[in-house]
Amino acid sequence: MEVAIEIEIAEIVLIGFGTIDRERVRAALVAELSRLLAEEGVPVGLSSAGAIETLDGGAFRLTSGMRPEQIGQQIALALYRGWQ
C-alpha cells in the first residue's frame, strides 16, 4: 500500500553555525528524508500522527569541517529517528 506524505520544512534553526549555507543544508535534509522514507518506510509514529507542528530532532553528532550536505543528512536522520 502506498502512503502519501507531504513534508514542509518552514524553518530550520541552526544555532552556532556561523555562515553555513543554510540552503544546502535544507536541500540535503529534504533529499535524505526522501531517501529514508522511500527505503526504510514510514515510521509508525509518523503514519498515525497527522499534522506535526514542531519536531525536536534531539541531538546529533557533528564534527569540525563537515559540509552542509553532511549536516543536512545528520539532521534528517535525527528527525527520522524521532518519528519512530
Side-chain angles (χ1 to χ4, degrees), residues 1 11 37 51 58 62 68:
M1 178 175 114
E11 180 179 25
L37 291 167
L62 299 178

Side-chain angles (χ1 to χ4, degrees), residues 10-63:
E11 180 179 25
I12 299 173
V13 178
L14 301 174
I15 299 170
F17 283 84
T19 59
I20 192 166
D21 186 339
R22 284 166 164 67
E23 180 53 34
R24 286 173 54 197
V25 172
R26 188 203 64 76
L29 190 160
V30 170
E32 183 66 5
L33 272 180
S34 297
R35 185 193 71 75
L36 287 166
L37 291 167
E39 292 180 9
E40 303 295 327
V42 178
V44 174
L46 182 60
S47 63
S48 62
I52 299 172
E53 290 294 320
T54 303
L55 177 65
D56 181 351
F60 48 92
R61 186 173 306 269
L62 299 178
T63 59

